Amino acid sequence: MKKAAFLLVFACSLGLAGLAQETEDGLGGSLGVEFTVTPIAPASLDVDTAITASLSFAGASVESRTVISLAGLESEHLRLALDLDGVTLATGMQFDPCFSRYWFEVRGGCCPVELGALFLVENLAPACQTPSFTVGMALDFGLTFDPLFIRSITGFGVEDLYHLIDEYPETELTAVSGWWFSEELISVGFATQCLHAESIFVLNELGFSWAQLNASYTWPDAGIQLGTRVWIDSSFAFSQGDLILKVTIDPVELRSVTSMNFSGFLGQRIDISITFSGIKLYSRTSFTFAGLISEVLGFELSF
């Protein structure tokens, strides 16, 4: 079963690459490869390879992300979306490497209101074992009065709603057993061309869970963005602070996130990308004083 799934994904990737010749007819997409190196104590390395492919045409799109390790197929993510004049329908499946998740999302609205809903079915059992399915839903409501905005996301049977709005594409919503209220995220802020400020509050069935206060300022002419994030835990005490610096000197972009608390340095993440002629080369490095946490190297071809 794993071999058949891998061959199917590989064939789809080759097909998407071949369709690059049809861009003059309005087709577009991308094809990329990403390597993730994770140190394992005391002296070993875990290496994963991710193959990403996407294709879009006339408001419809399909995306695939296949993760392979030395042991074989690790996971497969498929996403299909359709944009119907302001209303977006999206659906997808995830295999790890056996079936683990199906989800469906609808999003749309009329300024200043935006509405969205995500429904999922997930297998909570270990990979390729006797399945244990659960269902979950996230309801999304947004209101914008430029430059002010407010957003509310309510989760039933799902947690980690913050992963729906964070900047890291590798993070995901988490399903939990049961069908009842699990988490609420409220975001309030304002955004201008140069200044962005936002407060995020997360509550669960026990009450207040955590909060984040963040602000950033951008100098468009210089290509520099400087920002900070402050994390507050369930006891309303400071738990972590992030200093964010982003510098863009075409075609190079560098982004640094330094995390600290009252004890000192917690960790560092450095993202570097170079984009030219439809090709993007990038790296993401995460480390602490103890050493390297992970290293990601990749490239992406857009057409």
Side-chain angles (χ1 to χ4, degrees), residues 29-34 50-54 63-65 274-282 284 297-303:
S30 65
L31 182 64
V33 177
E34 182 178 283
I51 302 172
T52 58
S54 68
E63 301 174 8
S64 168
R65 178 179 174 86
I274 303 174
T275 305
F276 59 94
S277 302
I279 300 175
K280 180 180 180 180
L281 307 176
Y282 62 91
R284 298 193 295 268
L297 300 172
F299 74 87
E300 184 178 82
L301 170 65
S302 301
F303 52 85

Side-chain angles (χ1 to χ4, degrees), residues 47-123:
V47 181
D48 289 340
T49 302
I51 302 172
T52 58
S54 68
L55 180 68
S56 61
F57 175 72
S61 64
V62 57
E63 301 174 8
S64 168
R65 178 179 174 86
T66 309
V67 180
I68 306 168
S69 69
L70 295 177
L73 179 66
E74 294 290 336
S75 66
E76 166 63 24
H77 300 240
L78 294 172
R79 180 182 185 271
L80 295 90
L82 181 63
D83 189 352
L84 302 172
D85 294 328
V87 177
T88 301
L89 305 176
T91 186
M93 290 187 292
Q94 181 175 329
F95 302 85
D96 293 317
C98 299
F99 173 79
S100 59
R101 173 180 290 185
Y102 166 81
W103 58 270
F104 176 79
E105 181 180 14
V106 58
R107 179 173 298 277
C110 181
C111 186
V113 178
E114 183 177 357
L115 300 173
L118 184 149
F119 173 80
L120 66 81
V121 178
E122 182 156 343
N123 179 17

Side-chain angles (χ1 to χ4, degrees), residues 11-22 30-31 53-55 301 303:
C12 291
S13 300
L14 291 179
L16 289 174
L19 285 171
Q21 303 298 322
E22 304 295 334
S30 65
L31 182 64
S54 68
L55 180 68
L301 170 65
F303 52 85

